[in-house]
Each structure stands twice: as structure tokens, then as C-alpha cells.
Coordinates of all heavy atoms in Angstrom, one line a residue:
M1 N 52.9 105.1 72.6 CA 53.6 103.8 72.8 C 55.0 104.1 73.4 O 55.7 104.9 72.9 CB 53.6 103.0 71.5 CG 54.3 101.7 71.7 SD 54.3 100.7 70.2 CE 53.3 99.4 70.8
Q2 N 55.4 103.3 74.3 CA 56.7 103.4 74.9 C 57.8 102.9 74.0 O 57.6 101.9 73.4 CB 56.7 102.6 76.2 CG 57.7 102.9 77.2 CD 57.5 102.2 78.5 OE1 56.9 101.1 78.5 NE2 58.0 102.7 79.6
K3 N 58.9 103.7 73.9 CA 60.0 103.3 73.0 C 61.0 102.4 73.8 O 61.2 102.6 74.9 CB 60.7 104.5 72.4 CG 59.8 105.2 71.5 CD 60.6 106.3 70.8 CE 59.6 107.0 69.8 NZ 60.3 107.8 68.9
I4 N 61.5 101.4 73.1 CA 62.6 100.6 73.6 C 63.9 101.3 73.5 O 64.3 101.7 72.4 CB 62.6 99.2 72.9 CG1 61.3 98.5 72.9 CG2 63.7 98.4 73.4 CD1 61.2 97.3 72.0
P5 N 64.6 101.4 74.6 CA 66.0 102.0 74.5 C 66.9 101.2 73.6 O 66.9 100.0 73.6 CB 66.5 102.0 76.0 CG 65.3 101.8 76.8 CD 64.3 101.0 76.0
L6 N 67.7 101.9 72.8 CA 68.5 101.2 71.9 C 69.9 100.8 72.5 O 70.5 99.9 72.0 CB 68.7 102.1 70.6 CG 67.5 102.4 69.8 CD1 67.8 103.3 68.6 CD2 66.8 101.1 69.4
D7 N 70.4 101.6 73.4 CA 71.7 101.3 74.0 C 71.7 101.7 75.5 O 72.6 102.5 75.9 CB 72.7 102.1 73.2 CG 74.1 101.5 73.3 OD1 74.3 100.4 73.8 OD2 75.1 102.3 73.0
P8 N 70.9 101.0 76.3 CA 70.9 101.4 77.7 C 72.1 100.9 78.5 O 72.8 100.0 78.1 CB 69.6 100.7 78.2 CG 69.5 99.5 77.4 CD 70.0 100.0 76.0
D9 N 72.4 101.6 79.6 CA 73.4 101.1 80.5 C 73.0 99.7 81.0 O 71.8 99.4 81.1 CB 73.6 102.0 81.7 CG 74.3 103.4 81.2 OD1 75.0 103.4 80.2 OD2 74.0 104.4 81.9
V10 N 74.0 98.9 81.4 CA 73.6 97.6 81.9 C 74.1 97.4 83.3 O 75.0 98.0 83.8 CB 74.3 96.4 81.0 CG1 73.8 96.5 79.6 CG2 75.8 96.5 81.0
A11 N 73.4 96.5 84.0 CA 73.8 96.1 85.4 C 75.0 95.1 85.3 O 75.2 94.5 84.2 CB 72.6 95.5 86.1
D12 N 75.6 94.8 86.4 CA 76.7 93.8 86.4 C 76.2 92.4 86.1 O 76.9 91.6 85.5 CB 77.4 93.8 87.7 CG 78.3 95.1 87.8 OD1 78.5 95.8 86.8 OD2 78.9 95.3 88.9
T13 N 74.9 92.2 86.4 CA 74.3 90.9 86.1 C 72.9 91.1 85.6 O 72.2 92.0 86.1 CB 74.3 89.9 87.3 OG1 73.5 90.5 88.4 CG2 75.6 89.5 87.8
A14 N 72.5 90.3 84.7 CA 71.1 90.3 84.2 C 70.2 89.6 85.1 O 70.6 88.8 85.9 CB 71.1 89.7 82.8
P15 N 68.9 89.9 85.0 CA 67.9 89.1 85.8 C 68.0 87.6 85.6 O 68.5 87.2 84.5 CB 66.6 89.7 85.3 CG 66.9 90.9 84.6 CD 68.3 90.8 84.1
S16 N 67.6 86.9 86.5 CA 67.6 85.4 86.3 C 66.3 84.7 86.7 O 66.3 83.5 86.8 CB 68.8 84.8 87.1 OG 68.6 85.1 88.5
D17 N 65.3 85.5 86.9 CA 64.0 84.9 87.3 C 63.5 84.1 86.1 O 63.2 84.6 85.0 CB 63.0 85.9 87.7 CG 61.7 85.4 88.1 OD1 61.3 84.2 87.8 OD2 60.9 86.1 88.8
P18 N 63.3 82.7 86.2 CA 62.9 81.9 85.1 C 61.4 82.0 84.8 O 60.9 81.4 83.8 CB 63.3 80.5 85.5 CG 63.2 80.5 86.9 CD 63.6 81.9 87.4
N19 N 60.7 82.7 85.6 CA 59.2 82.7 85.5 C 58.6 84.0 85.2 O 57.4 84.2 85.1 CB 58.6 82.2 86.8 CG 59.0 80.8 87.1 OD1 59.0 79.9 86.3 ND2 59.5 80.6 88.3
A20 N 59.5 85.0 85.0 CA 58.9 86.4 84.8 C 59.8 87.2 83.9 O 61.1 87.1 84.0 CB 58.6 87.1 86.1
L21 N 59.2 88.1 83.1 CA 60.0 89.1 82.5 C 60.0 90.3 83.4 O 59.0 90.6 84.1 CB 59.2 89.6 81.2 CG 59.2 88.6 80.0 CD1 58.3 89.1 78.9 CD2 60.6 88.4 79.5
T22 N 61.1 90.9 83.5 CA 61.3 92.1 84.4 C 61.3 93.4 83.6 O 61.5 93.4 82.4 CB 62.6 91.9 85.2 OG1 63.7 92.1 84.2 CG2 62.8 90.6 85.9
P23 N 61.2 94.5 84.3 CA 61.3 95.8 83.6 C 62.7 95.9 83.0 O 62.8 96.4 81.9 CB 61.2 96.8 84.7 CG 60.2 96.1 85.7 CD 60.7 94.7 85.7
Y24 N 63.7 95.3 83.6 CA 65.1 95.3 83.0 C 65.1 94.5 81.7 O 65.7 95.0 80.7 CB 66.0 94.6 84.0 CG 67.5 94.7 83.6 CD1 68.3 95.8 84.0 CD2 68.1 93.8 82.8 CE1 69.6 95.9 83.6 CE2 69.4 93.9 82.4 CZ 70.2 94.9 82.8 OH 71.5 95.0 82.5
D25 N 64.4 93.4 81.6 CA 64.3 92.6 80.4 C 63.7 93.5 79.3 O 64.2 93.5 78.1 CB 63.5 91.4 80.5 CG 64.2 90.3 81.4 OD1 65.4 90.2 81.3 OD2 63.5 89.7 82.2
H26 N 62.6 94.2 79.6 CA 62.0 95.0 78.6 C 62.9 96.1 78.1 O 63.0 96.4 76.9 CB 60.7 95.6 79.2 CG 59.6 94.6 79.4 ND1 58.9 94.0 78.4 CD2 59.2 94.0 80.6 CE1 58.0 93.2 78.9 NE2 58.2 93.1 80.2
E27 N 63.6 96.8 79.1 CA 64.5 97.9 78.7 C 65.7 97.4 77.9 O 66.2 98.1 77.1 CB 65.0 98.5 80.0 CG 65.9 99.7 79.8 CD 66.3 100.4 81.1 OE1 65.7 100.2 82.1 OE2 67.3 101.1 81.0
H28 N 66.1 96.1 78.1 CA 67.3 95.6 77.5 C 67.0 94.7 76.3 O 67.9 93.9 75.9 CB 68.2 95.0 78.5 CG 68.8 96.1 79.4 ND1 68.1 96.6 80.5 CD2 70.0 96.7 79.3 CE1 68.8 97.5 81.0 NE2 70.0 97.6 80.4
A29 N 65.8 94.7 75.8 CA 65.5 93.8 74.7 C 66.5 93.9 73.5 O 67.0 93.0 72.9 CB 64.1 94.0 74.2
V30 N 66.8 95.2 73.1 CA 67.8 95.4 72.0 C 69.2 94.9 72.4 O 69.9 94.3 71.6 CB 67.8 96.9 71.6 CG1 68.9 97.2 70.6 CG2 66.4 97.3 71.0
T31 N 69.5 95.1 73.7 CA 70.8 94.6 74.1 C 70.9 93.1 74.0 O 71.9 92.6 73.5 CB 71.0 95.0 75.6 OG1 71.0 96.4 75.8 CG2 72.4 94.5 76.2
Y32 N 69.9 92.4 74.3 CA 69.8 91.0 74.2 C 70.0 90.6 72.7 O 70.7 89.6 72.4 CB 68.6 90.4 74.8 CG 68.4 90.6 76.3 CD1 67.1 90.6 76.8 CD2 69.5 90.7 77.1 CE1 66.9 90.7 78.2 CE2 69.3 90.8 78.5 CZ 68.0 90.8 79.0 OH 67.8 91.0 80.4
L33 N 69.3 91.2 71.9 CA 69.4 90.9 70.4 C 70.8 91.2 69.9 O 71.4 90.4 69.1 CB 68.4 91.7 69.6 CG 66.9 91.4 69.9 CD1 66.0 92.4 69.2 CD2 66.6 90.0 69.4
R34 N 71.4 92.3 70.3 CA 72.8 92.6 69.9 C 73.8 91.5 70.4 O 74.7 91.1 69.7 CB 73.2 94.0 70.4 CG 72.4 95.1 69.7 CD 72.8 96.4 70.3 NE 74.1 96.8 69.9 CZ 74.9 97.7 70.5 NH1 74.4 98.3 71.6 NH2 76.1 97.9 70.1
L35 N 73.6 91.1 71.6 CA 74.4 90.0 72.2 C 74.3 88.7 71.4 O 75.3 88.1 71.1 CB 74.1 89.7 73.6 CG 74.6 90.7 74.7 CD1 73.8 90.5 76.0 CD2 76.1 90.5 74.9
L36 N 73.1 88.3 71.1 CA 72.8 87.1 70.3 C 73.5 87.2 68.9 O 74.1 86.2 68.5 CB 71.3 86.8 70.2 CG 70.7 86.4 71.5 CD1 69.1 86.5 71.4 CD2 71.1 85.0 72.0
D37 N 73.3 88.3 68.3 CA 73.9 88.5 67.0 C 75.4 88.4 67.0 O 76.0 87.7 66.2 CB 73.5 89.9 66.3 CG 72.0 89.9 65.8 OD1 71.4 88.8 65.7 OD2 71.5 91.0 65.5
A38 N 76.0 89.1 67.9 CA 77.5 89.1 68.0 C 78.0 87.8 68.4 O 79.0 87.3 67.8 CB 77.9 90.2 69.1
N39 N 77.3 87.1 69.3 CA 77.7 85.7 69.7 C 77.6 84.8 68.5 O 78.5 84.0 68.2 CB 76.9 85.2 70.8 CG 77.4 83.9 71.4 OD1 78.5 83.8 71.8 ND2 76.5 82.9 71.3
T40 N 76.5 84.8 67.7 CA 76.4 84.0 66.6 C 77.4 84.3 65.5 O 77.9 83.4 64.8 CB 74.9 84.2 66.0 OG1 74.0 83.8 67.0 CG2 74.7 83.4 64.7
A41 N 77.8 85.5 65.4 CA 78.8 85.9 64.4 C 80.2 85.5 64.9 O 81.2 85.7 64.1 CB 78.8 87.4 64.2
G42 N 80.4 85.0 66.1 CA 81.7 84.6 66.6 C 82.6 85.7 67.1 O 83.8 85.5 67.2
A43 N 82.0 86.8 67.5 CA 82.8 87.9 68.0 C 83.4 87.5 69.4 O 82.8 86.7 70.1 CB 81.9 89.1 68.2
D44 N 84.5 88.0 69.7 CA 85.2 87.8 71.0 C 84.4 88.4 72.1 O 83.9 89.5 72.0 CB 86.6 88.4 70.9 CG 87.3 88.1 72.2 OD1 88.0 87.0 72.2 OD2 87.3 88.9 73.1
W45 N 84.2 87.6 73.2 CA 83.4 88.1 74.3 C 83.9 89.5 74.8 O 83.1 90.3 75.3 CB 83.3 87.1 75.4 CG 84.6 87.0 76.2 CD1 85.6 86.1 76.0 CD2 84.9 87.7 77.4 NE1 86.6 86.3 77.0 CE2 86.2 87.3 77.8 CE3 84.3 88.8 78.1 CZ2 86.8 87.8 78.9 CZ3 84.9 89.3 79.2 CH2 86.1 88.9 79.6
R46 N 85.2 89.7 74.8 CA 85.7 91.0 75.3 C 85.3 92.2 74.4 O 85.0 93.2 74.9 CB 87.3 90.9 75.4 CG 87.7 90.0 76.4 CD 89.3 89.8 76.4 NE 89.6 88.9 75.2 CZ 89.8 87.6 75.3 NH1 89.6 87.0 76.5 NH2 90.1 86.9 74.3
E47 N 85.2 91.9 73.1 CA 84.7 93.0 72.2 C 83.2 93.2 72.4 O 82.8 94.3 72.4 CB 85.0 92.5 70.8 CG 84.6 93.6 69.7 CD 84.9 93.1 68.3 OE1 85.3 92.0 68.1 OE2 84.8 94.0 67.4
I48 N 82.5 92.1 72.6 CA 81.1 92.3 72.9 C 80.8 93.0 74.1 O 80.0 93.9 74.2 CB 80.4 90.9 72.9 CG1 80.5 90.2 71.6 CG2 78.9 91.0 73.3 CD1 80.1 88.7 71.6
A49 N 81.6 92.7 75.2 CA 81.5 93.4 76.5 C 81.7 94.9 76.3 O 81.0 95.8 76.8 CB 82.4 92.8 77.5
R50 N 82.7 95.2 75.5 CA 83.1 96.6 75.3 C 82.1 97.4 74.5 O 81.6 98.5 74.9 CB 84.5 96.7 74.6 CG 85.0 98.2 74.4 CD 86.3 98.2 73.8 NE 86.5 97.5 72.5 CZ 86.0 97.9 71.4 NH1 85.4 99.1 71.3 NH2 86.2 97.2 70.3
I51 N 81.6 96.8 73.4 CA 80.7 97.5 72.5 C 79.3 97.5 73.0 O 78.6 98.5 73.0 CB 80.8 96.9 71.1 CG1 82.2 97.2 70.5 CG2 79.8 97.5 70.1 CD1 82.6 96.4 69.2
V52 N 78.8 96.3 73.3 CA 77.4 96.2 73.7 C 77.1 96.5 75.2 O 76.1 97.2 75.5 CB 76.9 94.7 73.4 CG1 75.4 94.6 73.8 CG2 77.1 94.4 71.9
L53 N 78.0 96.1 76.0 CA 77.7 96.3 77.5 C 78.5 97.5 78.1 O 78.2 97.8 79.2 CB 78.1 95.0 78.2 CG 77.5 93.7 77.8 CD1 78.0 92.5 78.6 CD2 75.9 93.8 77.9
H54 N 79.3 98.1 77.3 CA 80.1 99.2 77.7 C 81.0 99.0 78.9 O 81.1 99.8 79.8 CB 79.2 100.4 78.0 CG 78.2 100.7 76.9 ND1 78.6 101.2 75.7 CD2 76.9 100.5 76.8 CE1 77.6 101.3 74.9 NE2 76.5 100.9 75.5
I55 N 81.6 97.8 79.0 CA 82.5 97.4 80.0 C 83.8 97.0 79.4 O 83.9 96.2 78.5 CB 81.9 96.2 80.9 CG1 80.6 96.6 81.5 CG2 82.9 95.9 82.0 CD1 79.9 95.4 82.1
D56 N 84.9 97.6 79.9 CA 86.2 97.4 79.3 C 86.8 96.1 80.0 O 87.1 96.1 81.2 CB 87.1 98.6 79.6 CG 88.5 98.4 79.0 OD1 88.9 97.3 78.6 OD2 89.2 99.5 78.9
A57 N 86.9 95.0 79.2 CA 87.4 93.8 79.7 C 88.8 93.8 80.1 O 89.3 93.0 80.8 CB 87.1 92.7 78.7
E58 N 89.6 94.7 79.5 CA 91.0 94.9 79.9 C 91.2 95.5 81.3 O 92.0 95.0 82.0 CB 91.7 95.7 78.8 CG 91.7 95.2 77.4 CD 92.3 93.8 77.3 OE1 93.4 93.6 77.9 OE2 91.8 93.0 76.6
R59 N 90.3 96.4 81.6 CA 90.4 97.0 82.9 C 89.6 96.3 84.0 O 90.0 96.3 85.1 CB 89.9 98.5 82.8 CG 90.8 99.4 82.1 CD 90.3 100.8 82.2 NE 89.1 101.0 82.9 CZ 88.2 102.0 82.7 NH1 88.5 102.9 81.9 NH2 87.1 102.1 83.4
E60 N 88.5 95.7 83.6 CA 87.7 95.0 84.6 C 87.3 93.6 84.0 O 86.1 93.3 83.7 CB 86.4 95.8 84.8 CG 86.6 97.2 85.4 CD 85.3 97.9 85.6 OE1 84.8 98.4 84.6 OE2 84.8 97.9 86.8
P61 N 88.3 92.7 83.9 CA 88.0 91.4 83.3 C 86.9 90.6 84.0 O 86.1 90.0 83.3 CB 89.3 90.7 83.3 CG 90.2 91.4 84.3 CD 89.6 92.8 84.4
S62 N 86.9 90.5 85.3 CA 85.9 89.7 86.0 C 84.5 90.3 85.9 O 83.6 89.5 85.6 CB 86.3 89.6 87.5 OG 87.5 88.9 87.7
R63 N 84.4 91.6 86.0 CA 83.1 92.2 85.9 C 82.6 92.1 84.4 O 81.4 91.7 84.2 CB 83.2 93.7 86.2 CG 81.9 94.5 86.1 CD 82.1 95.9 86.5 NE 80.9 96.6 86.1 CZ 80.8 97.7 85.3 NH1 81.9 98.2 84.8 NH2 79.7 98.2 85.0
A64 N 83.5 92.3 83.5 CA 83.1 92.2 82.1 C 82.6 90.7 81.7 O 81.6 90.6 81.1 CB 84.2 92.6 81.2
R65 N 83.3 89.8 82.2 CA 83.0 88.4 81.9 C 81.7 88.0 82.6 O 80.8 87.4 81.9 CB 84.1 87.4 82.4 CG 83.9 86.0 82.0 CD 84.0 85.9 80.5 NE 83.7 84.5 80.0 CZ 84.2 84.0 79.0 NH1 85.0 84.6 78.2 NH2 83.9 82.7 78.7
M66 N 81.5 88.4 83.8 CA 80.2 88.1 84.5 C 79.0 88.8 83.8 O 78.0 88.1 83.6 CB 80.3 88.6 86.0 CG 79.0 88.3 86.8 SD 79.2 88.7 88.5 CE 79.7 90.4 88.5
A67 N 79.2 90.0 83.5 CA 78.1 90.7 82.8 C 77.8 90.1 81.4 O 76.6 89.9 81.1 CB 78.5 92.2 82.6
Y68 N 78.8 89.8 80.7 CA 78.7 89.1 79.4 C 77.9 87.8 79.5 O 76.9 87.5 78.9 CB 80.0 88.9 78.7 CG 79.9 88.0 77.5 CD1 79.4 88.4 76.3 CD2 80.4 86.7 77.6 CE1 79.3 87.6 75.2 CE2 80.3 85.8 76.5 CZ 79.7 86.3 75.3 OH 79.6 85.4 74.3
E69 N 78.4 86.9 80.4 CA 77.8 85.6 80.6 C 76.3 85.7 81.1 O 75.5 85.0 80.6 CB 78.6 84.8 81.5 CG 79.9 84.3 80.9 CD 80.8 83.5 81.8 OE1 80.5 83.2 82.9 OE2 81.9 83.1 81.3
S70 N 76.1 86.6 82.0 CA 74.7 86.6 82.6 C 73.7 87.2 81.6 O 72.6 86.8 81.4 CB 74.7 87.4 83.9 OG 74.8 88.8 83.7
H71 N 74.2 88.2 80.8 CA 73.3 88.8 79.8 C 73.1 87.9 78.6 O 72.0 87.9 78.1 CB 73.8 90.2 79.4 CG 73.6 91.3 80.4 ND1 74.4 91.5 81.5 CD2 72.6 92.2 80.5 CE1 73.9 92.5 82.2 NE2 72.8 92.9 81.6
L72 N 74.1 87.2 78.2 CA 73.9 86.3 77.1 C 73.0 85.1 77.5 O 72.1 84.7 76.8 CB 75.3 85.7 76.7 CG 75.2 84.7 75.5 CD1 74.6 85.4 74.2 CD2 76.6 84.2 75.2
A73 N 73.2 84.6 78.8 CA 72.3 83.6 79.3 C 70.8 84.1 79.3 O 69.9 83.4 78.9 CB 72.7 83.1 80.7
R74 N 70.6 85.3 79.7 CA 69.3 85.9 79.7 C 68.7 86.1 78.3 O 67.5 85.8 78.0 CB 69.2 87.2 80.5 CG 67.8 87.7 80.8 CD 67.1 86.7 81.7 NE 65.8 87.3 82.1 CZ 65.0 86.8 83.0 NH1 65.3 85.6 83.5 NH2 63.9 87.3 83.3
A75 N 69.6 86.5 77.4 CA 69.2 86.6 76.0 C 68.7 85.3 75.4 O 67.7 85.2 74.8 CB 70.3 87.2 75.2
K76 N 69.5 84.2 75.7 CA 69.1 82.9 75.3 C 67.8 82.5 75.9 O 66.9 81.8 75.3 CB 70.2 81.9 75.5 CG 71.4 82.2 74.6 CD 72.5 81.2 74.9 CE 73.7 81.4 74.0 NZ 74.8 80.5 74.3
W77 N 67.6 82.7 77.2 CA 66.4 82.4 77.9 C 65.2 83.1 77.2 O 64.1 82.5 77.1 CB 66.5 82.8 79.4 CG 65.2 82.6 80.1 CD1 64.8 81.5 80.7 CD2 64.2 83.6 80.3 NE1 63.5 81.7 81.3 CE2 63.1 83.0 81.1 CE3 64.0 84.9 80.0 CZ2 62.0 83.7 81.4 CZ3 62.9 85.6 80.4 CH2 61.8 85.0 81.1
M78 N 65.4 84.4 76.8 CA 64.3 85.1 76.1 C 63.9 84.4 74.9 O 62.7 84.3 74.6 CB 64.8 86.5 75.8 CG 64.9 87.4 77.0 SD 63.4 87.9 77.8 CE 62.7 89.0 76.5
T79 N 64.9 83.8 74.1 CA 64.5 83.1 72.9 C 63.8 81.8 73.1 O 63.1 81.3 72.3 CB 65.7 82.9 72.0 OG1 66.6 82.0 72.6 CG2 66.4 84.2 71.7
E80 N 64.1 81.2 74.3 CA 63.6 79.8 74.6 C 62.3 79.9 75.4 O 61.5 79.0 75.3 CB 64.6 79.0 75.3 CG 65.9 78.8 74.4 CD 67.1 78.3 75.2 OE1 67.0 78.2 76.4 OE2 68.2 78.2 74.6
H81 N 62.2 80.9 76.3 CA 61.1 80.9 77.2 C 60.4 82.3 77.4 O 59.2 82.4 77.4 CB 61.5 80.5 78.6 CG 62.2 79.1 78.6 ND1 61.5 77.9 78.5 CD2 63.5 78.8 78.7 CE1 62.4 76.9 78.5 NE2 63.6 77.4 78.6
G82 N 61.2 83.3 77.5 CA 60.7 84.6 77.7 C 59.7 85.1 76.6 O 58.8 85.8 76.9
Y83 N 60.0 84.7 75.4 CA 59.1 85.2 74.3 C 57.7 84.7 74.6 O 56.7 85.4 74.2 CB 59.6 84.7 73.0 CG 59.3 83.3 72.7 CD1 58.1 82.9 72.0 CD2 60.1 82.3 73.1 CE1 57.8 81.6 71.7 CE2 59.8 80.9 72.8 CZ 58.7 80.6 72.1 OH 58.4 79.3 71.9
R84 N 57.5 83.6 75.2 CA 56.1 83.1 75.5 C 55.4 84.1 76.4 O 54.2 84.3 76.2 CB 56.2 81.7 76.1 CG 56.6 80.6 75.1 CD 56.5 79.3 75.8 NE 57.2 78.3 74.9 CZ 58.3 77.6 75.2 NH1 58.9 77.8 76.4 NH2 58.8 76.8 74.4
L85 N 56.1 84.6 77.4 CA 55.5 85.6 78.3 C 55.2 86.8 77.5 O 54.1 87.4 77.8 CB 56.5 85.9 79.4 CG 56.8 84.6 80.3 CD1 57.9 85.0 81.3 CD2 55.6 84.2 81.0
L86 N 56.0 87.2 76.6 CA 55.7 88.4 75.8 C 54.4 88.2 75.0 O 53.5 89.0 74.9 CB 56.8 88.7 74.8 CG 58.0 89.5 75.4 CD1 59.1 89.6 74.3 CD2 57.6 90.8 75.9
L87 N 54.3 87.0 74.4 CA 53.1 86.7 73.6 C 51.8 86.6 74.5 O 50.8 87.1 74.0 CB 53.3 85.3 72.9 CG 54.3 85.3 71.8 CD1 54.5 83.9 71.2 CD2 54.0 86.3 70.7
R88 N 52.0 86.1 75.7 CA 50.9 85.9 76.6 C 50.4 87.3 77.1 O 49.2 87.6 77.2 CB 51.2 85.0 77.7 CG 50.0 84.8 78.6 CD 50.3 83.7 79.7 NE 50.5 82.4 79.1 CZ 51.3 81.5 79.6 NH1 52.0 81.7 80.7 NH2 51.5 80.4 79.0
Y89 N 51.4 88.1 77.6 CA 51.0 89.3 78.4 C 51.3 90.6 77.6 O 50.9 91.6 78.1 CB 51.8 89.3 79.7 CG 51.5 88.1 80.5 CD1 52.4 87.1 80.8 CD2 50.2 87.9 81.1 CE1 52.1 86.0 81.5 CE2 49.9 86.8 81.8 CZ 50.9 85.8 82.1 OH 50.6 84.7 82.8
G90 N 52.0 90.5 76.5 CA 52.3 91.7 75.7 C 53.4 92.5 76.3 O 54.0 92.2 77.4
W91 N 53.8 93.6 75.6 CA 54.8 94.5 76.0 C 54.2 95.5 77.0 O 53.0 95.8 76.9 CB 55.3 95.2 74.8 CG 56.7 95.7 75.0 CD1 57.0 97.0 75.2 CD2 57.9 95.0 75.0 NE1 58.4 97.1 75.3 CE2 59.0 95.9 75.2 CE3 58.2 93.6 74.8 CZ2 60.3 95.5 75.2 CZ3 59.5 93.2 74.9 CH2 60.5 94.2 75.1
P92 N 54.9 96.0 78.0 CA 54.3 96.9 78.9 C 53.8 98.1 78.2 O 54.4 98.6 77.3 CB 55.5 97.2 79.9 CG 56.7 96.8 79.2 CD 56.3 95.8 78.2
V93 N 52.7 98.6 78.7 CA 52.1 99.8 78.2 C 52.5 101.0 79.0 O 52.8 100.8 80.2 CB 50.5 99.7 78.1 CG1 50.1 98.6 77.2 CG2 50.0 99.4 79.5
P94 N 52.6 102.2 78.5 CA 52.9 103.3 79.2 C 52.0 103.6 80.4 O 50.8 103.3 80.3 CB 52.9 104.5 78.2 CG 52.6 103.9 76.9 CD 52.3 102.5 77.1
D95 N 52.5 104.2 81.4 CA 51.6 104.6 82.6 C 50.5 105.6 82.2 O 50.7 106.4 81.4 CB 52.4 105.1 83.7 CG 53.4 104.0 84.3 OD1 53.0 102.8 84.1 OD2 54.4 104.4 84.9

């Protein structure tokens, strides 16, 4: 069985396809969960960007903010819609 990466590097923006789970979504499932937890706990977005997304908001504020917002939006989409696709089609199987 394929293992889910625990702390993968992130792109500047998360996927936004509302009708499909992408390989990026599968690879970043733990990232999405960490974002949701930190956001629910009221953590500052700059701290979340630094710890979860590995982007320094002090050095790259625009990039950090864009990455944070797009990944958090995708994480929320996963909880509202994406999970249905997981239930329907399952997790990807190894090649």
C-alpha cells in the first residue's frame, strides 16, 4: 500500500478543480489536515505558513499568504466535497 507523505513540499497554490481529486491532493492530505487543525486552533496564518507550508511569511509575505489561502480553501473543499470522491473512487493504488 502506498504511504501518504507526512510533510511534503508544497506548491505556491493548491489545486482548484472542483470536480476531481488530483495527485497533489492525495500527496497533501496530511498537509490539509494540519492546516485545518491549526486554523481551528486560531493559529496565526504566518505561523501556519512557516510550519506547515515551509514558507517564511516575513521574507515572502505575498507568496506565503497566497499559498496559505489556496491550501486552506482546498482543505475545506476536501471536507465538504472531496471526501465524497474518496468514498466513491478510493485512494489511489500503487502502480
Side-chain angles (χ1 to χ4, degrees):
M1 178 177 246
Q2 200 172 23
K3 292 188 179 195
I4 300 169
L6 298 179
D7 199 19
D9 291 332
V10 298
D12 286 350
T13 57
S16 59
D17 185 341
N19 300 310
L21 290 171
T22 68
Y24 188 92
D25 292 323
H26 293 284
E27 182 179 342
H28 290 81
V30 172
T31 301
Y32 295 154
L33 293 172
R34 292 177 69 204
L35 282 166
L36 291 167
D37 283 346
N39 185 63
T40 299
D44 183 89
W45 74 268
R46 291 172 285 267
E47 183 179 9
I48 297 170
R50 182 177 53 79
I51 295 170
V52 178
L53 304 178
H54 309 291
I55 301 171
D56 185 345
E58 299 301 318
R59 289 189 355 206
E60 300 179 279
S62 297
R63 177 177 174 241
R65 187 66 184 211
M66 179 176 54
Y68 168 75
E69 289 179 359
S70 73
H71 283 82
L72 182 60
R74 190 62 171 185
K76 289 178 180 180
W77 175 85
M78 290 288 289
T79 67
E80 297 164 1
H81 305 285
Y83 78 92
R84 290 185 189 113
L85 297 172
L86 281 175
L87 293 174
R88 181 177 297 150
Y89 301 111
W91 205 254
V93 294
D95 295 334

